[in-house]
Amino acid sequence: MKLVIQSPLPLDTVHHKPLLGLARGSSLTPIDAHAVHIENAEPGQRADLEVYCGTHQLDYAFVEAGRALADFGLVAMDMDSTLITIECIDEIADFCGLKAEVAAITEASMRGEIKDFNESLTRRVTLLKGLDAGALERVYEERLQLSPGAEQMLAGAKAAGLKTLLVSGGFTFFTEKLKARLGLDFTRANTLEIVDGKLTGNVIGEIVNADVKARTLRETCAQLGIEPTRAIAMGDGSNDLKMMGAAGLSVAFRAKPVVREAASVAFNHVGLDGLLRLF
């Protein structure tokens, strides 16, 4: 196994010797100013690496030696708190004075405390009934920001020949704008019902929950003629777990503990472009 250590800031060489010792690897090689890789690292050293890297705000990942990004054919991403920094529904709710109530439900759902995502989303969307649909545009223009490294990650993935899928329990209003802005290949999300310029408090059609996310990944892979093992899935909340489990490589991005524990790789400090340094 190859061990990749990454830092959001330039990685001080003072870390090289202790990291090599903790990993019980054979050699350490800088990748760039922010990362190194250690050959023949022992996965059994995860506990020690977890403590050291957590203390120094570093991210570590064990990856199969010899793999290349081009070995994959698809990168599938969650939207809210993964590709972008916000939870769109929480920000929409702010325009009707209900951000705290909606955010509390969102957080409980993402931690896995509310098991029924459909119920969680329905409860939150109902609270938006009567809101002027113009609030969606304001959220996009005034509050939506890409996560650190998002554009670099997408550029690197596309250069390696991967297709891109944005699959979200959020809303098509935002996924379609991001599709056009970032040149994404596929999107799937929920559609908010709007009548006479107002949100009705309803979602149109099938709700994109954990099962639908996983199914969308598999269907997109089938459309591309690749196995799901050639997909990379990135997410942060419990409703991403099934999609991540269906993929060949899963990345937990600044994620809830339950997601970090299940993922192949966790980025707690570096940006999404950390994906490019794994290979």
Side-chain angles (χ1 to χ4, degrees):
M1 298 294 287
K2 179 176 73 173
L3 173 64
V4 179
I5 310 285
Q6 304 192 56
S7 170
L9 299 174
L11 183 60
D12 196 316
T13 56
V14 72
H15 294 297
H16 288 190
K17 186 175 180 178
L19 285 170
L20 182 60
L22 284 172
R24 297 180 183 172
S26 58
S27 63
L28 180 148
T29 306
I31 298 171
D32 59 22
H34 293 262
V36 298
H37 78 251
I38 297 174
E39 296 293 341
N40 302 311
E42 294 187 14
Q45 292 299 104
R46 286 178 187 273
D48 290 342
L49 288 162
E50 182 77 29
V51 173
Y52 187 92
C53 290
T55 300
H56 297 285
Q57 295 191 314
L58 307 175
D59 286 322
Y60 73 94
F62 283 93
V63 291
E64 187 179 339
R67 293 197 85 175
L69 186 59
D71 293 338
F72 296 90
L74 176 71
V75 57
M77 304 152 285
D78 173 49
M79 179 174 68
D80 297 271
S81 298
T82 301
L83 184 64
I84 63 175
T85 62
I86 64 170
E87 292 285 336
C88 289
I89 193 166
D90 297 354
E91 301 304 321
I92 297 168
D94 198 24
F95 284 93
C96 51
L98 293 171
K99 183 174 182 177
E101 291 90 328
V102 169
I105 301 172
T106 301
E107 183 69 12
S109 180
M110 293 301 98
R111 288 195 304 262
E113 294 168 7
I114 299 177
K115 302 300 183 185
D116 189 335
F117 179 82
N118 290 24
E119 177 195 348
S120 162
L121 184 70
T122 300
R123 283 169 57 190
R124 287 176 286 164
V125 172
T126 298
L127 292 171
L128 306 178
K129 183 177 181 179
L131 181 65
D132 191 294
L136 303 179
E137 185 68 35
R138 289 193 62 187
V139 168
Y140 181 80
E141 293 293 340
E142 299 173 14
R143 304 189 182 189
L144 186 148
Q145 294 184 350
L146 297 177
S147 291
E151 290 178 290
Q152 296 93 319
M153 181 274 292
L154 289 169
K158 291 174 187 178
L162 280 68
K163 297 297 185 181
T164 53
L165 165 66
L166 182 60
V167 56
S168 173
F171 306 117
T172 54
F173 180 89
F174 302 102
T175 57
E176 291 307 301
K177 283 183 175 291
L178 289 168
K179 181 180 183 181
R181 174 177 168 182
L182 300 172
L184 305 176
D185 296 299
F186 307 99
T187 61
R188 179 74 185 270
N190 297 301
T191 302
L192 288 169
E193 185 179 53
I194 299 171
V195 175
D196 296 329
K198 305 283 187 183
L199 301 186
T200 66
N202 297 318
V203 174
I204 299 173
E206 183 179 39
I207 288 176
V208 180
N209 56 25
D211 291 314
V212 175
K213 283 189 170 191
R215 189 178 79 219
T216 301
L217 181 141
R218 290 192 295 267
E219 290 174 348
T220 305
C221 286
Q223 187 176 340
L224 295 172
I226 64 173
E227 293 297 319
T229 52
R230 289 187 58 204
I232 299 168
M234 313 179 84
D236 74 296
S238 63
N239 66 325
D240 297 314
L241 286 171
K242 290 184 178 180
M243 173 179 76
M244 293 166 72
L249 179 75
S250 55
V251 178
F253 183 69
R254 302 184 185 182
K256 302 299 181 285
V258 65
V259 181
R260 292 200 303 268
E261 291 166 11
S264 312
V265 176
F267 294 156
N268 302 320
H269 307 290
V270 300
L272 290 171
D273 56 330
L275 177 69
L276 307 179
R277 298 189 186 99
L278 298 182
F279 304 102

